[in-house]
Amino acid sequence: MKVLVIGSGGREHALVWKLSQSPLVKEIFCAPGNAGIGAIAKLVPIAVDQIFSLLQFAQKEKIDWTVVGPELPLSLGIVDQFQKEGLKIFGPSQKAAIVESSKIFTKQFCKRHHIPTADFEIFDSYEKAKTFLFHREKFPVVIKADGLAQGKGVVVAATKKESLDALEDMMQNQKLGSAGRQVVIEDFLEGEEATYMIVTDSQNYVAFDSSQDHKRIGDFDTGPNTGGMGAYSPAPIVDSLMREKIHKKIIEPTLKGLAQEERAYQGVLYAGLMIYQGEPSLIEFNCRFGDPECQALLFRLKTDLMEIIQSVDQKKINQIKINFDSKSSVCVVMASFGYPGEYSTGHEIRGLNLVNSQDVFIFHAGTDKKGAQIVTHGGRVLGVTALGENLQMAIKKAYEGISYITWNNAYFRKDIGSKGLKDES
Ligand SMILES: Nc1ncnc2c1ncn2[C@@H]1O[C@H](COP(=O)(O)OP(=O)(O)O)[C@@H](O)[C@H]1O
Ligand SMILES: [Mg+2]
């Protein structure tokens, strides 16, 4: 089978890496990919939002399956376009991808279907939102842009002043463009976050193991949100009782509700959860694998990913058993210093070849080739991912791997995984 993976991050490197191990897969292309992906797949220089060019490429190359990594092409309707031409593609339709592309949709959907989530108000007028915040007494409060914002659309504001500044940036100064034209203002939820991903053929679903992301740039969850600075899997806080609650209170009503509303969902559904006093509530849905949770998760996945993808198409997901290595995994993201703000790129990455443990793999994100050199080419650069007997061992191995790798402005968090240790028995 010929497979095309769309995207260029650590998640897509993990997808390509995992698919390349499938006996069903003979050849892999990746558009546009990165230096690490280029070592195991043929790179195609087409951007993820160039749907028509991607379609033409898939037709010309006679691609059997296209696997979409990021949310942007899904929200632009890539699945609908490919399927219209009779091409097989893995991911939700544009109508179903709205669970990620509109936070307002998802909040109102939760209300309609009694899915636990923070109480909220919706605003399309800056003046009204400002008045609402001005009279509010409960802080922190969370301000969310409605549309896609690459991890920059949410501000957890500790004070009234912070909340008003965030609102002004989004609605008045249009810092996020049209994504911030409407906002959700919601209650701050206490608790611990966890990521729960499932794969569904729209009728049935199977759940992946849990994982946990680290959104903030700084150690011990300080500083602004990022695309994700590291992840571990499984998340000890999600035990079997919690899984049951997540299925019954969040996943099942969601799949049923989407089908009822003619938005039947196929593909990977990502639930970002807050767990407080033994109860999960929904923070957000994403319409694809999380990054970097995907790296941590696929590193433990034993089942053939191509088989999972095919079973979705055949509506036989209930016949698949997804197996995971019982070991823990940790992915530590190495970034360019300055990210998520300004940073410089083009720095040579050294030491990549020194990491040669069976249990460690370096997924590339923002990397590029310059002659024989591999250079930095983005905010998040690498995801050093390790397996260990338990979370503590996995953390140790990931950081050992990192100790070999350097470049001019490398930055990484030192505490990835540590919040899971307190829950590990
Ligand atoms: N209601 C909330 N209470 C507490 N923290 C929140 C809340 N909503 C979002 N957050 C924090 O902000 C982060 C980003 O919010 P999220 O809705 O996941 O947006 P996105 O991933 O699209 O940026 C979450 O991972 C969480 O840390
Ligand atoms: Mg999120």
Side-chain angles (χ1 to χ4, degrees), residues 9-181:
R11 167 183 52 216
E12 287 75 25
H13 193 185
L15 289 168
V16 169
W17 172 82
K18 187 67 195 167
L19 288 167
S20 71
Q21 294 161 15
S22 168
L24 298 167
V25 175
K26 291 283 164 288
E27 201 177 1
I28 309 185
F29 296 84
C30 185
N34 59 41
I37 296 174
I40 49 176
K42 293 199 177 101
L43 301 186
V44 185
I46 306 176
V48 303
D49 60 351
Q50 299 300 303
I51 312 284
F52 185 65
S53 302
L54 291 166
L55 180 69
Q56 278 185 320
F57 174 81
Q59 285 174 324
K60 187 179 103 247
E61 270 304 329
K62 301 201 165 42
I63 298 289
D64 297 295
W65 263 105
T66 299
V67 178
V68 188
E71 61 278 15
L72 181 60
L74 293 167
S75 75
L76 293 173
I78 190 171
V79 168
D80 314 67
Q81 296 298 321
F82 272 52
Q83 286 178 344
K84 210 156 64 189
E85 298 297 326
L87 296 174
K88 295 217 179 287
I89 183 163
F90 182 66
S93 67
Q94 185 172 32
K95 276 184 86 174
I98 194 171
V99 295
E100 176 163 5
S101 56
S102 170
K103 288 198 191 291
I104 292 178
F105 170 86
T106 293
K107 293 300 288 189
Q108 292 176 328
F109 176 87
C110 285
K111 211 168 183 177
R112 286 197 291 280
H113 297 279
H114 311 290
I115 295 161
T117 190
D119 283 342
F120 65 97
E121 300 282 336
I122 285 164
F123 295 94
D124 59 8
S125 138
Y126 172 59
E127 290 306 323
K128 283 192 181 141
K130 203 165 108 179
T131 308
F132 173 81
L133 285 175
F134 195 76
H135 293 291
R136 188 180 170 98
E137 281 165 13
K138 212 164 38 165
F139 290 89
V141 67
V142 185
I143 323 273
K144 300 188 170 189
D146 175 48
L148 296 182
Q150 296 181 308
K152 296 187 184 110
V154 170
V155 175
V156 178
T159 61
K160 185 172 290 189
K161 162 124 189 17
E162 268 179 57
S163 74
L164 287 166
D165 288 348
L167 187 76
E168 189 177 356
D169 277 348
M170 277 183 209
M171 295 193 92
Q172 187 79 336
N173 304 335
Q174 297 176 19
K175 276 211 172 147
L176 303 167
S178 62
R181 218 164 33 212

Side-chain angles (χ1 to χ4, degrees), residues 103 118 142 144 151 154 156 186-189 193 215 225 274 283-284:
K103 288 198 191 291
V142 185
K144 300 188 170 189
V154 170
V156 178
E186 69 179 38
D187 285 355
F188 174 81
L189 297 175
E193 285 184 68
K215 291 290 291 179
N225 276 336
M274 187 67 87
I283 290 191
E284 63 157 352

Side-chain angles (χ1 to χ4, degrees), residues 361-401:
F361 193 85
I362 301 164
F363 292 113
H364 289 225
T367 67
D368 200 5
K369 271 194 105 165
K370 204 165 96 190
Q373 289 180 359
I374 293 185
V375 298
T376 63
H377 189 61
R380 293 189 296 168
V381 177
L382 302 171
V384 181
T385 309
L387 269 184
E389 291 307 319
N390 52 31
L391 180 56
Q392 190 153 22
M393 284 302 296
I395 293 171
K396 187 162 168 274
K397 285 188 194 172
Y399 281 103
E400 251 166 45

